[in-house]
Amino acid sequence: MKLYLIGHDYKYAVEQIMLMLFPQERPEYPAAPPNPGDCYARVRISAGPVFTTASALVCAGGQSGRGTARIRTAALSGGLITERLRQRIIKLAFYKAAVAVTGQTPVWGALTGIRPAKLAARFLEEGMDAAGAQAAMQREFFVSPERAQLCVAAADAAVQAARTLAPGDVALYVGIPFCPTRCAYCSFVSNSVEKSMQLIDPFLDALDREIDETGRVAAELGLTVRSVYFGGGTPTTLSAGQLRRVISRLHGAFDLSHIREFTVEAGRPDTITREKLDALAESGVDRISINPQSMSDDVLRAIGRRHTAEDIRTAFAAARAAGFRRINTDLIAGLPGDTPDGFARSLSEVLALGPENITVHTLALKKGSRITEQAIPIPDGAAVGAMLDGARSRLTAEGYAPYYLYRQKFTSGGFENVGWSLPGCENLYNICIMEELCTILAMGGGGSTKLVKHSSGRIERIFDPKYPLEYIQNLDRVLADKEKIRIFCLQER
């Protein structure tokens, strides 16, 4: 699509809304005017004494549509807030014009960001009740009633969690970038141990040093650790002894006496043994994830999983026997070869296991995954929508409530990922990372430290190298980066 920006240079904002509404198009910025029949958009912003107005003309498929949105100029007080508000009305104007052309209304309306619950949380913090916040999401951003309700529920969980946190509270993340094999849909940072087994020990040696240095800085700053989360990859790719080693190092480097939860993604049942479960439980881990993604053996084979639905049931029983009373399970809507009926059966089988948390993801077709090269058909947006609608209805009936959600690019239908929880079993880390409630200190492969200061709205990120060898080779830089944590925290006091 040819894009003509007039009175602004908000390319990213326009591209975001364009890609959501016209996913088959790619942005172009020609110098010449469009030719008859071209797919193009003119997006203008102009400031007046009373209102600042965004207008859009969208032409596609022989149809044209116009849209406008405005905000009071007095509300544009400068800085980041002004930038956000100007970009918001640009997206709204483009959305209205595009809907007039296509006749399609996405379930998330004009929202393009990955954290829609943050908008709903602002409405709640301004004094609206849940019904008012839901109505505002529908009215101001054209979000469907069902998604607005999800959003407000997640926002309420975030508001409640924020009230329990104090300045100086942080969460820890440890990235273990290894998996037994690589799933067909995966674009996460992970190395198959079939190819990189020899890197595990030197990676752990490097991780020991990063844990020690991060712990030193946290102690110097007087930070209080409230949550610990091991992700990856699949952390339980490590042996029981290696898991004990990492967790012991963490206990030695940080004061973990104030944590509310300690989560490890066990993930793949083909990495779970009773020995590893005992090692985790004895080391203070009180919550794990066992992630089938599907309970259909045919679908599991299609995505390259080397386990069966029966293996999930066996792993779940072993985790209960080891004493775990907080277990999450993941399902993915839209996997190759799945159907709405098949997904509903998977959900029923997972519910029969009685997990405290169920996370329902939408398949994202990302670069770096093998899934788009496969011959097995992938469910379309309508089928994925039916899967998610059925899951929402069933989980609500079973007493689960949404407590965090996020969106990703390149999902069928532009849908969402939602964490569902039984009352009182919400995972604090998941809420904090999604809603940016506190600083996350990350260590390990692919770890992303997020430094958060709410008083100023300031957020900074520090990225560890993604892959094991890269991480090992760049350890000196990783350790030196810890000084940025100290500087940020001291500047914000």
Side-chain angles (χ1 to χ4, degrees):
M1 175 177 282
K2 295 179 178 180
L3 300 176
Y4 300 89
L5 310 185
I6 305 167
H8 67 96
D9 192 31
Y10 295 125
K11 289 184 178 181
Y12 184 68
V14 174
E15 289 175 8
Q16 277 187 309
I17 191 75
M18 183 211 77
L19 289 170
M20 185 181 77
L21 296 164
F22 298 95
Q24 74 282 2
E25 296 290 336
R26 292 297 176 265
E28 301 176 18
Y29 295 93
N35 297 312
D38 280 352
C39 181
Y40 72 93
R42 286 197 180 97
V43 187
R44 181 191 304 270
I45 191 166
S46 57
V50 179
F51 291 104
T52 292
T53 303
S55 59
L57 167 67
V58 173
C59 297
Q63 302 293 320
S64 65
R66 295 180 182 272
T68 61
R70 66 183 187 177
I71 190 167
R72 288 191 174 274
T73 301
L76 304 178
S77 56
L80 187 59
I81 292 177
T82 291
E83 295 299 297
R84 288 176 177 169
L85 291 175
R86 284 165 63 90
Q87 290 179 57
R88 179 183 295 179
I89 60 174
I90 282 172
K91 291 180 183 179
L92 287 169
F94 192 107
Y95 172 84
K96 293 175 182 178
V99 168
V101 169
T102 66
Q104 303 296 315
T105 54
V107 295
W108 281 103
L111 295 183
T112 61
I114 66 173
R115 296 180 175 87
K118 292 189 78 169
L119 290 172
R122 289 174 193 162
F123 291 134
L124 294 175
E125 290 164 351
E126 290 169 1
M128 291 186 186
D129 61 12
Q134 182 177 333
M137 294 294 290
Q138 295 174 234
R139 180 181 63 254
E140 296 191 22
F141 302 105
F142 308 102
V143 178
S144 74
E146 296 79 12
R147 265 60 193 186
Q149 187 176 39
L150 276 179
C151 206
V152 171
D156 183 64
V159 170
Q160 300 304 321
R163 290 172 180 165
T164 71
L165 296 170
D169 285 356
V170 300
L172 304 182
Y173 174 87
V174 179
I176 307 296
F178 298 96
C179 278
T181 59
R182 191 174 180 87
C183 297
Y185 59 80
C186 184
S187 65
F188 285 111
V189 178
S190 63
N191 272 34
S192 165
V193 294
E194 296 171 322
K195 298 179 180 179
S196 58
M197 179 68 76
Q198 72 277 7
L199 292 176
I200 291 181
D201 283 336
F203 170 82
L204 294 179
D205 290 340
L207 179 59
D208 282 346
R209 292 182 60 191
E210 187 184 10
I211 288 172
D212 289 347
E213 183 64 14
T214 310
R216 183 190 67 78
V217 174
E220 177 187 329
L221 294 168
L223 303 178
T224 302
V225 179
R226 294 298 186 184
S227 175
V228 180
Y229 195 99
F230 275 40
T234 305
T236 44
T237 301
L238 302 183
S239 69
Q242 290 166 336
L243 289 167
R244 288 183 188 274
R245 167 186 169 175
V246 177
I247 297 172
S248 176
R249 197 79 179 203
L250 208 65
H251 277 282
F254 293 89
D255 177 3
L256 301 185
S257 61
H258 302 289
I259 63 172
R260 301 177 192 171
E261 62 189 20
F262 194 136
T263 303
V264 171
E265 288 188 0
R268 299 267 294 258
D270 44 339
T271 68
I272 298 173
T273 66
R274 181 57 190 265
E275 183 184 13
K276 293 180 186 181
L277 291 169
D278 287 342
L280 294 176
E282 291 164 8
S283 299
V285 176
D286 59 6
R287 182 180 182 271
I288 63 172
S289 290
I290 301 174
N291 301 333
Q293 317 301 14
S294 172
M295 294 296 279
S296 163
D297 289 346
D298 289 340
V299 174
L300 291 172
R301 280 191 293 271
I303 62 175
R305 286 265 178 158
R306 293 184 178 177
H307 65 81
T308 65
E310 184 58 31
D311 293 332
I312 290 289
R313 289 184 278 268
T314 299
F316 206 96
R320 290 299 197 205
F324 287 98
R325 296 295 175 262
R326 294 285 189 274
I327 300 177
N328 173 76
T329 59
D330 283 5
L331 290 173
I332 299 179
L335 290 173
D338 210 353
T339 65
D341 286 344
F343 186 81
R345 287 192 294 271
S346 288
L347 179 59
S348 291
E349 291 189 46
V350 165
L351 283 167
L353 298 174
E356 286 69 35
N357 302 113
I358 298 176
T359 307
V360 180
H361 296 273
T362 301
L363 178 66
L365 301 175
K366 294 184 176 181
K367 293 179 181 179
S369 69
R370 304 190 314 273
I371 203 163
T372 55
E373 302 171 3
Q374 296 183 175
I376 301 173
I378 297 173
D380 62 16
V384 173
M387 294 177 188
L388 297 175
D389 289 345
R392 184 177 67 252
S393 177
R394 179 73 187 279
L395 287 165
T396 300
E398 295 288 340
Y400 292 81
Y403 75 100
Y404 83 102
L405 68 84
Y406 65 101
R407 299 177 65 207
Q408 292 172 283
K409 295 179 181 178
F410 311 118
T411 58
S412 295
F415 292 113
E416 65 285 335
N417 308 295
V418 181
W420 295 80
S421 175
L422 292 175
C425 298
E426 298 83 2
N427 180 240
L428 178 64
Y429 175 86
N430 284 334
I431 299 175
C432 287
I433 191 67
M434 282 301 130
E435 303 308 322
E436 299 172 327
L437 298 186
C438 70
T439 285
I440 309 291
L441 301 180
M443 297 151 279
S448 175
T449 288
K450 183 180 291 186
L451 304 171
V452 177
K453 185 59 67 172
H454 290 287
S455 59
S456 63
R458 184 179 168 204
I459 294 177
E460 289 188 10
R461 292 171 174 82
I462 307 169
F463 300 98
D464 279 9
K466 294 181 178 181
Y467 301 104
L469 183 59
E470 181 189 14
Y471 175 81
I472 295 163
Q473 293 175 336
N474 289 276
L475 182 61
D476 288 344
R477 191 269 290 169
V478 170
L479 299 180
D481 277 348
K482 301 305 172 184
E483 179 66 9
K484 296 176 182 178
I485 299 171
R486 190 182 70 82
I487 293 171
F488 179 93
C489 292
L490 291 178
Q491 286 178 341
E492 290 293 329
R493 286 181 174 174

mmCIF file with all atom_site columns, all heavy atoms in Angstrom, residues 240-255:
data_model
loop_
_atom_site.group_PDB
_atom_site.id
_atom_site.type_symbol
_atom_site.label_atom_id
_atom_site.label_alt_id
_atom_site.label_comp_id
_atom_site.label_asym_id
_atom_site.label_entity_id
_atom_site.label_seq_id
_atom_site.pdbx_PDB_ins_code
_atom_site.Cartn_x
_atom_site.Cartn_y
_atom_site.Cartn_z
_atom_site.occupancy
_atom_site.B_iso_or_equiv
_atom_site.pdbx_formal_charge
_atom_site.auth_seq_id
_atom_site.auth_comp_id
_atom_site.auth_asym_id
_atom_site.auth_atom_id
_atom_site.pdbx_PDB_model_num
ATOM 1   N N   . ALA A 1 240 ? 18.417 -32.891 36.634 1.00 0.00 ? 240 ALA A N   1
ATOM 2   C CA  . ALA A 1 240 ? 18.034 -32.545 38.003 1.00 0.00 ? 240 ALA A CA  1
ATOM 3   C C   . ALA A 1 240 ? 19.181 -31.852 38.723 1.00 0.00 ? 240 ALA A C   1
ATOM 4   O O   . ALA A 1 240 ? 18.987 -30.850 39.427 1.00 0.00 ? 240 ALA A O   1
ATOM 5   C CB  . ALA A 1 240 ? 17.608 -33.803 38.760 1.00 0.00 ? 240 ALA A CB  1
ATOM 6   N N   . GLY A 1 241 ? 20.394 -32.352 38.527 1.00 0.00 ? 241 GLY A N   1
ATOM 7   C CA  . GLY A 1 241 ? 21.545 -31.736 39.171 1.00 0.00 ? 241 GLY A CA  1
ATOM 8   C C   . GLY A 1 241 ? 21.816 -30.333 38.672 1.00 0.00 ? 241 GLY A C   1
ATOM 9   O O   . GLY A 1 241 ? 22.174 -29.430 39.450 1.00 0.00 ? 241 GLY A O   1
ATOM 10  N N   . GLN A 1 242 ? 21.642 -30.122 37.369 1.00 0.00 ? 242 GLN A N   1
ATOM 11  C CA  . GLN A 1 242 ? 21.858 -28.790 36.815 1.00 0.00 ? 242 GLN A CA  1
ATOM 12  C C   . GLN A 1 242 ? 20.799 -27.812 37.286 1.00 0.00 ? 242 GLN A C   1
ATOM 13  O O   . GLN A 1 242 ? 21.097 -26.636 37.544 1.00 0.00 ? 242 GLN A O   1
ATOM 14  C CB  . GLN A 1 242 ? 21.879 -28.877 35.283 1.00 0.00 ? 242 GLN A CB  1
ATOM 15  C CG  . GLN A 1 242 ? 23.113 -29.579 34.741 1.00 0.00 ? 242 GLN A CG  1
ATOM 16  C CD  . GLN A 1 242 ? 22.980 -29.972 33.281 1.00 0.00 ? 242 GLN A CD  1
ATOM 17  O OE1 . GLN A 1 242 ? 21.865 -30.134 32.756 1.00 0.00 ? 242 GLN A OE1 1
ATOM 18  N NE2 . GLN A 1 242 ? 24.118 -30.148 32.607 1.00 0.00 ? 242 GLN A NE2 1
ATOM 19  N N   . LEU A 1 243 ? 19.559 -28.271 37.422 1.00 0.00 ? 243 LEU A N   1
ATOM 20  C CA  . LEU A 1 243 ? 18.504 -27.409 37.952 1.00 0.00 ? 243 LEU A CA  1
ATOM 21  C C   . LEU A 1 243 ? 18.806 -27.004 39.391 1.00 0.00 ? 243 LEU A C   1
ATOM 22  O O   . LEU A 1 243 ? 18.667 -25.839 39.771 1.00 0.00 ? 243 LEU A O   1
ATOM 23  C CB  . LEU A 1 243 ? 17.149 -28.111 37.870 1.00 0.00 ? 243 LEU A CB  1
ATOM 24  C CG  . LEU A 1 243 ? 16.564 -28.289 36.471 1.00 0.00 ? 243 LEU A CG  1
ATOM 25  C CD1 . LEU A 1 243 ? 15.399 -29.272 36.499 1.00 0.00 ? 243 LEU A CD1 1
ATOM 26  C CD2 . LEU A 1 243 ? 16.110 -26.943 35.899 1.00 0.00 ? 243 LEU A CD2 1
ATOM 27  N N   . ARG A 1 244 ? 19.232 -27.972 40.192 1.00 0.00 ? 244 ARG A N   1
ATOM 28  C CA  . ARG A 1 244 ? 19.599 -27.657 41.573 1.00 0.00 ? 244 ARG A CA  1
ATOM 29  C C   . ARG A 1 244 ? 20.730 -26.627 41.607 1.00 0.00 ? 244 ARG A C   1
ATOM 30  O O   . ARG A 1 244 ? 20.734 -25.714 42.430 1.00 0.00 ? 244 ARG A O   1
ATOM 31  C CB  . ARG A 1 244 ? 20.044 -28.926 42.301 1.00 0.00 ? 244 ARG A CB  1
ATOM 32  C CG  . ARG A 1 244 ? 18.939 -29.908 42.646 1.00 0.00 ? 244 ARG A CG  1
ATOM 33  C CD  . ARG A 1 244 ? 19.516 -31.078 43.421 1.00 0.00 ? 244 ARG A CD  1
ATOM 34  N NE  . ARG A 1 244 ? 18.562 -32.148 43.620 1.00 0.00 ? 244 ARG A NE  1
ATOM 35  C CZ  . ARG A 1 244 ? 17.695 -32.214 44.620 1.00 0.00 ? 244 ARG A CZ  1
ATOM 36  N NH1 . ARG A 1 244 ? 17.667 -31.241 45.521 1.00 0.00 ? 244 ARG A NH1 1
ATOM 37  N NH2 . ARG A 1 244 ? 16.861 -33.236 44.725 1.00 0.00 ? 244 ARG A NH2 1
ATOM 38  N N   . ARG A 1 245 ? 21.685 -26.808 40.723 1.00 0.00 ? 245 ARG A N   1
ATOM 39  C CA  . ARG A 1 245 ? 22.841 -25.902 40.687 1.00 0.00 ? 245 ARG A CA  1
ATOM 40  C C   . ARG A 1 245 ? 22.410 -24.462 40.423 1.00 0.00 ? 245 ARG A C   1
ATOM 41  O O   . ARG A 1 245 ? 22.829 -23.545 41.135 1.00 0.00 ? 245 ARG A O   1
ATOM 42  C CB  . ARG A 1 245 ? 23.814 -26.368 39.608 1.00 0.00 ? 245 ARG A CB  1
ATOM 43  C CG  . ARG A 1 245 ? 24.888 -25.346 39.263 1.00 0.00 ? 245 ARG A CG  1
ATOM 44  C CD  . ARG A 1 245 ? 25.734 -25.803 38.089 1.00 0.00 ? 245 ARG A CD  1
ATOM 45  N NE  . ARG A 1 245 ? 26.585 -24.727 37.598 1.00 0.00 ? 245 ARG A NE  1
ATOM 46  C CZ  . ARG A 1 245 ? 27.497 -24.871 36.644 1.00 0.00 ? 245 ARG A CZ  1
ATOM 47  N NH1 . ARG A 1 245 ? 27.689 -26.061 36.088 1.00 0.00 ? 245 ARG A NH1 1
ATOM 48  N NH2 . ARG A 1 245 ? 28.221 -23.831 36.260 1.00 0.00 ? 245 ARG A NH2 1
ATOM 49  N N   . VAL A 1 246 ? 21.577 -24.254 39.399 1.00 0.00 ? 246 VAL A N   1
ATOM 50  C CA  . VAL A 1 246 ? 21.164 -22.892 39.056 1.00 0.00 ? 246 VAL A CA  1
ATOM 51  C C   . VAL A 1 246 ? 20.340 -22.269 40.176 1.00 0.00 ? 246 VAL A C   1
ATOM 52  O O   . VAL A 1 246 ? 20.559 -21.108 40.561 1.00 0.00 ? 246 VAL A O   1
ATOM 53  C CB  . VAL A 1 246 ? 20.380 -22.875 37.730 1.00 0.00 ? 246 VAL A CB  1
ATOM 54  C CG1 . VAL A 1 246 ? 19.899 -21.461 37.420 1.00 0.00 ? 246 VAL A CG1 1
ATOM 55  C CG2 . VAL A 1 246 ? 21.237 -23.400 36.586 1.00 0.00 ? 246 VAL A CG2 1
ATOM 56  N N   . ILE A 1 247 ? 19.405 -23.027 40.713 1.00 0.00 ? 247 ILE A N   1
ATOM 57  C CA  . ILE A 1 247 ? 18.539 -22.474 41.752 1.00 0.00 ? 247 ILE A CA  1
ATOM 58  C C   . ILE A 1 247 ? 19.333 -22.205 43.026 1.00 0.00 ? 247 ILE A C   1
ATOM 59  O O   . ILE A 1 247 ? 19.124 -21.195 43.712 1.00 0.00 ? 247 ILE A O   1
ATOM 60  C CB  . ILE A 1 247 ? 17.348 -23.413 42.013 1.00 0.00 ? 247 ILE A CB  1
ATOM 61  C CG1 . ILE A 1 247 ? 16.496 -23.537 40.749 1.00 0.00 ? 247 ILE A CG1 1
ATOM 62  C CG2 . ILE A 1 247 ? 16.494 -22.883 43.165 1.00 0.00 ? 247 ILE A CG2 1
ATOM 63  C CD1 . ILE A 1 247 ? 15.395 -24.578 40.834 1.00 0.00 ? 247 ILE A CD1 1
ATOM 64  N N   . SER A 1 248 ? 20.272 -23.088 43.349 1.00 0.00 ? 248 SER A N   1
ATOM 65  C CA  . SER A 1 248 ? 21.124 -22.860 44.513 1.00 0.00 ? 248 SER A CA  1
ATOM 66  C C   . SER A 1 248 ? 21.941 -21.586 44.341 1.00 0.00 ? 248 SER A C   1
ATOM 67  O O   . SER A 1 248 ? 22.101 -20.797 45.285 1.00 0.00 ? 248 SER A O   1
ATOM 68  C CB  . SER A 1 248 ? 22.049 -24.059 44.719 1.00 0.00 ? 248 SER A CB  1
ATOM 69  O OG  . SER A 1 248 ? 22.952 -23.826 45.786 1.00 0.00 ? 248 SER A OG  1
ATOM 70  N N   . ARG A 1 249 ? 22.443 -21.370 43.136 1.00 0.00 ? 249 ARG A N   1
ATOM 71  C CA  . ARG A 1 249 ? 23.207 -20.151 42.871 1.00 0.00 ? 249 ARG A CA  1
ATOM 72  C C   . ARG A 1 249 ? 22.332 -18.922 43.058 1.00 0.00 ? 249 ARG A C   1
ATOM 73  O O   . ARG A 1 249 ? 22.761 -17.890 43.588 1.00 0.00 ? 249 ARG A O   1
ATOM 74  C CB  . ARG A 1 249 ? 23.758 -20.199 41.443 1.00 0.00 ? 249 ARG A CB  1
ATOM 75  C CG  . ARG A 1 249 ? 24.877 -19.223 41.175 1.00 0.00 ? 249 ARG A CG  1
ATOM 76  C CD  . ARG A 1 249 ? 26.183 -19.761 41.734 1.00 0.00 ? 249 ARG A CD  1
ATOM 77  N NE  . ARG A 1 249 ? 27.300 -18.887 41.489 1.00 0.00 ? 249 ARG A NE  1
ATOM 78  C CZ  . ARG A 1 249 ? 28.559 -19.322 41.470 1.00 0.00 ? 249 ARG A CZ  1
ATOM 79  N NH1 . ARG A 1 249 ? 28.835 -20.606 41.687 1.00 0.00 ? 249 ARG A NH1 1
ATOM 80  N NH2 . ARG A 1 249 ? 29.554 -18.479 41.265 1.00 0.00 ? 249 ARG A NH2 1
ATOM 81  N N   . LEU A 1 250 ? 21.093 -19.037 42.621 1.00 0.00 ? 250 LEU A N   1
ATOM 82  C CA  . LEU A 1 250 ? 20.164 -17.920 42.754 1.00 0.00 ? 250 LEU A CA  1
ATOM 83  C C   . LEU A 1 250 ? 19.897 -17.615 44.228 1.00 0.00 ? 250 LEU A C   1
ATOM 84  O O   . LEU A 1 250 ? 19.898 -16.451 44.647 1.00 0.00 ? 250 LEU A O   1
ATOM 85  C CB  . LEU A 1 250 ? 18.857 -18.265 42.031 1.00 0.00 ? 250 LEU A CB  1
ATOM 86  C CG  . LEU A 1 250 ? 18.035 -17.111 41.467 1.00 0.00 ? 250 LEU A CG  1
ATOM 87  C CD1 . LEU A 1 250 ? 18.794 -16.412 40.355 1.00 0.00 ? 250 LEU A CD1 1
ATOM 88  C CD2 . LEU A 1 250 ? 16.704 -17.630 40.943 1.00 0.00 ? 250 LEU A CD2 1
ATOM 89  N N   . HIS A 1 251 ? 19.694 -18.663 45.029 1.00 0.00 ? 251 HIS A N   1
ATOM 90  C CA  . HIS A 1 251 ? 19.475 -18.468 46.466 1.00 0.00 ? 251 HIS A CA  1
ATOM 91  C C   . HIS A 1 251 ? 20.696 -17.837 47.121 1.00 0.00 ? 251 HIS A C   1
ATOM 92  O O   . HIS A 1 251 ? 20.558 -17.034 48.065 1.00 0.00 ? 251 HIS A O   1
ATOM 93  C CB  . HIS A 1 251 ? 19.159 -19.807 47.141 1.00 0.00 ? 251 HIS A CB  1
ATOM 94  C CG  . HIS A 1 251 ? 17.730 -20.226 47.035 1.00 0.00 ? 251 HIS A CG  1
ATOM 95  N ND1 . HIS A 1 251 ? 16.740 -19.696 47.833 1.00 0.00 ? 251 HIS A ND1 1
ATOM 96  C CD2 . HIS A 1 251 ? 17.119 -21.130 46.235 1.00 0.00 ? 251 HIS A CD2 1
ATOM 97  C CE1 . HIS A 1 251 ? 15.577 -20.251 47.528 1.00 0.00 ? 251 HIS A CE1 1
ATOM 98  N NE2 . HIS A 1 251 ? 15.776 -21.138 46.559 1.00 0.00 ? 251 HIS A NE2 1
ATOM 99  N N   . GLY A 1 252 ? 21.883 -18.180 46.651 1.00 0.00 ? 252 GLY A N   1
ATOM 100 C CA  . GLY A 1 252 ? 23.088 -17.619 47.230 1.00 0.00 ? 252 GLY A CA  1
ATOM 101 C C   . GLY A 1 252 ? 23.329 -16.173 46.872 1.00 0.00 ? 252 GLY A C   1
ATOM 102 O O   . GLY A 1 252 ? 23.930 -15.416 47.637 1.00 0.00 ? 252 GLY A O   1
ATOM 103 N N   . ALA A 1 253 ? 22.842 -15.763 45.703 1.00 0.00 ? 253 ALA A N   1
ATOM 104 C CA  . ALA A 1 253 ? 23.102 -14.408 45.218 1.00 0.00 ? 253 ALA A CA  1
ATOM 105 C C   . ALA A 1 253 ? 22.024 -13.409 45.618 1.00 0.00 ? 253 ALA A C   1
ATOM 106 O O   . ALA A 1 253 ? 22.293 -12.201 45.681 1.00 0.00 ? 253 ALA A O   1
ATOM 107 C CB  . ALA A 1 253 ? 23.240 -14.419 43.693 1.00 0.00 ? 253 ALA A CB  1
ATOM 108 N N   . PHE A 1 254 ? 20.794 -13.876 45.846 1.00 0.00 ? 254 PHE A N   1
ATOM 109 C CA  . PHE A 1 254 ? 19.672 -12.996 46.157 1.00 0.00 ? 254 PHE A CA  1
ATOM 110 C C   . PHE A 1 254 ? 19.032 -13.402 47.476 1.00 0.00 ? 254 PHE A C   1
ATOM 111 O O   . PHE A 1 254 ? 19.052 -14.579 47.861 1.00 0.00 ? 254 PHE A O   1
ATOM 112 C CB  . PHE A 1 254 ? 18.590 -13.081 45.059 1.00 0.00 ? 254 PHE A CB  1
ATOM 113 C CG  . PHE A 1 254 ? 19.005 -12.539 43.730 1.00 0.00 ? 254 PHE A CG  1
ATOM 114 C CD1 . PHE A 1 254 ? 19.621 -13.357 42.798 1.00 0.00 ? 254 PHE A CD1 1
ATOM 115 C CD2 . PHE A 1 254 ? 18.764 -11.213 43.387 1.00 0.00 ? 254 PHE A CD2 1
ATOM 116 C CE1 . PHE A 1 254 ? 20.001 -12.872 41.551 1.00 0.00 ? 254 PHE A CE1 1
ATOM 117 C CE2 . PHE A 1 254 ? 19.136 -10.718 42.152 1.00 0.00 ? 254 PHE A CE2 1
ATOM 118 C CZ  . PHE A 1 254 ? 19.762 -11.549 41.229 1.00 0.00 ? 254 PHE A CZ  1
ATOM 119 N N   . ASP A 1 255 ? 18.425 -12.437 48.126 1.00 0.00 ? 255 ASP A N   1
ATOM 120 C CA  . ASP A 1 255 ? 17.565 -12.719 49.274 1.00 0.00 ? 255 ASP A CA  1
ATOM 121 C C   . ASP A 1 255 ? 16.189 -13.077 48.733 1.00 0.00 ? 255 ASP A C   1
ATOM 122 O O   . ASP A 1 255 ? 15.452 -12.206 48.261 1.00 0.00 ? 255 ASP A O   1
ATOM 123 C CB  . ASP A 1 255 ? 17.490 -11.498 50.184 1.00 0.00 ? 255 ASP A CB  1
ATOM 124 C CG  . ASP A 1 255 ? 16.548 -11.711 51.369 1.00 0.00 ? 255 ASP A CG  1
ATOM 125 O OD1 . ASP A 1 255 ? 16.001 -12.824 51.517 1.00 0.00 ? 255 ASP A OD1 1
ATOM 126 O OD2 . ASP A 1 255 ? 16.354 -10.745 52.142 1.00 0.00 ? 255 ASP A OD2 1
#
